[in-house]
Amino acid sequence: SSSTTISDFLLNCFVESGSDHLGLSMVLALLFIVALAANAVLLLTIWLEQSLHQPVYYLLSLLSLLDLVLCLAVIPKVLVIFWWDWRSISFAGCFLQMFVMNSFLAMESCTLMVMAYDRYVAICHPLRYPSIVTDRFVAKAAFFVVARNTLISFPIPVFSAWLHYCRTNVIEHCICANLHVSRLSCSDITLSRLYQFVAGWTLLGSDLVLISLSYTFILRAVLRLKAEGAATKALSTCGSHFILILFFSTILLVLILTNVVKKRVHGNIPVLLNVLHNVIPAALNPIVYGVWTKEIKEGILRVLRK
């Protein structure tokens, strides 16, 4: 009846495409294992190797931790749905997952912004770098990353949880995405949608602007370098960080585009991209840094030998 109140949700994760489940779940499981292993190795290496106890690697550790939490908040549940058809998720579990996804994605974007500032200081003000980017700076930056994004993202699941759910409890998604959940409510969702839109664009938009500014200054400084090979050396220190930003922003762009043109693309595509966005950067980030950065590569080899 229309007055019944819902106590849990069902995640309708690619229900109609049953035959693809096994292949897709294997790819996801593989990415998940790679993400967990690669980030664990990276964190362990930075922790054990004295030579890596530097601000730039502490920021990388923060990114790794955020990746791990995002992965663990999303992928196990999707795999459980695929393998055992356990589609039910409790009210609290759903809004907790929504909170983790919204806040940790924003924290990741903010960490990439701090890392861009670190590269900007390293290349544009190399002599002042040791006095600007200190351990204390990293501690303050980490506090800022967590505090800003937790405070601004917290109202998103709160607004969704306040809504009255009485129609259906089936979410047409693999994860508790705010817009898909709030759509099921009988209340007016304008405020909830508006807040998410404004918060999302404020957080990710401001980070993207600051990252772009940092790279504009970096490029300008690099193009002025006259010494033989100096430009290549300067750019190579930014290479890995730049690739991480590309991973992060391309998937976000695809998500935005598929949501804008969702009438023209198959409904499962945005859902799949949304799931992959929580595991692909997590699996690739540590590998890119490990391959690209000589100090980390050597550190990993030393740790593995031990």
Side-chain angles (χ1 to χ4, degrees), residues 62 66 103 107 110 141-151:
L62 177 61
L66 297 174
S103 57
M107 283 181 210
C110 195
F143 177 76
F144 171 73
V145 165
V146 175
R148 178 194 89 156
N149 299 297
T150 304
L151 289 172

Side-chain angles (χ1 to χ4, degrees), residues 172-189:
E172 295 298 335
H173 209 302
C174 298
I175 41 189
C176 286
N178 176 39
L179 298 179
H180 284 78
V181 176
S182 55
R183 226 174 260 157
L184 306 179
S185 96
C186 320
S187 323
D188 178 23
I189 60 169

Side-chain angles (χ1 to χ4, degrees), residues 32-301:
F32 182 57
I33 292 163
V34 169
L36 294 186
N39 284 292
V41 168
L42 185 68
L43 286 166
L44 199 65
T45 304
I46 293 171
W47 185 44
L48 293 175
E49 278 296 309
Q50 206 60 47
S51 63
L52 297 178
H53 290 185
Q54 294 170 33
V56 63
Y57 301 120
Y58 294 148
L59 289 172
L60 189 56
S61 311
L62 177 61
L63 196 67
S64 258
L65 283 169
L66 297 174
D67 274 339
L68 279 173
V69 174
L70 266 174
C71 243
L72 289 164
V74 172
I75 306 303
K77 180 64 187 168
V78 177
L79 291 175
V80 162
I81 295 171
F82 280 172
W83 292 338
W84 294 289
D85 202 32
W86 289 349
R87 293 188 290 138
S88 171
I89 185 167
S90 70
F91 227 65
C94 188
F95 294 114
L96 179 65
Q97 190 189 54
M98 190 187 292
F99 168 69
V100 169
M101 282 189 312
N102 282 301
S103 57
F104 278 71
L105 258 178
M107 283 181 210
E108 202 158 275
S109 151
C110 195
T111 306
L112 287 170
M113 184 264 289
V114 176
M115 289 167 88
Y117 174 74
D118 162 82
R119 292 299 81 202
Y120 157 74
V121 178
I123 287 170
C124 300
H125 305 284
L127 299 176
R128 289 173 58 208
Y129 181 79
S131 61
I132 296 176
V133 183
T134 57
D135 289 358
R136 198 164 159 200
F137 165 83
V138 173
K140 283 182 181 166
F143 177 76
F144 171 73
V145 165
V146 175
R148 178 194 89 156
N149 299 297
T150 304
L151 289 172
I152 296 180
S153 305
F154 189 67
I156 295 173
V158 171
F159 282 143
S160 277
W162 274 345
L163 299 171
H164 179 53
Y165 293 91
C166 62
R167 286 198 201 110
T168 169
N169 65 340
V170 179
I171 301 168
E172 295 298 335
H173 209 302
C174 298
I175 41 189
C176 286
N178 176 39
L179 298 179
H180 284 78
V181 176
S182 55
R183 226 174 260 157
L184 306 179
S185 96
C186 320
S187 323
D188 178 23
I189 60 169
T190 318
L191 180 65
S192 170
R193 296 189 77 148
L194 185 68
Y195 185 84
Q196 182 174 17
F197 182 77
V198 172
W201 280 110
T202 306
L203 294 175
L204 302 178
S206 60
D207 291 343
L208 215 58
V209 167
L210 291 168
I211 289 170
S212 308
L213 271 175
S214 299
Y215 272 96
T216 309
F217 288 131
I218 287 171
L219 274 174
R220 214 175 64 185
V222 165
L223 292 173
R224 284 190 192 143
L225 293 172
K226 297 285 184 282
E228 186 71 36
T232 324
K233 187 170 181 290
L235 279 179
S236 72
T237 66
C238 297
S240 43
H241 178 248
F242 193 66
I243 294 172
L244 303 199
I245 290 166
L246 282 181
F247 284 156
F248 188 81
S249 42
T250 43
I251 301 191
L252 278 181
L253 279 176
V254 171
L255 274 177
I256 292 163
L257 288 174
T258 43
N259 278 314
V260 169
V261 295
K262 68 157 106 26
K263 305 281 178 287
R264 294 187 206 124
V265 293
H266 192 281
N268 280 346
I269 293 173
V271 173
L272 179 62
L273 287 171
N274 218 323
V275 172
L276 289 175
H277 187 241
N278 293 290
V279 69
I280 290 180
L284 296 180
N285 289 352
I287 295 171
V288 167
Y289 250 91
V291 170
W292 201 287
T293 315
K294 195 170 118 243
E295 294 78 7
I296 288 184
K297 202 168 16 184
E298 289 167 357
I300 289 173
L301 292 172

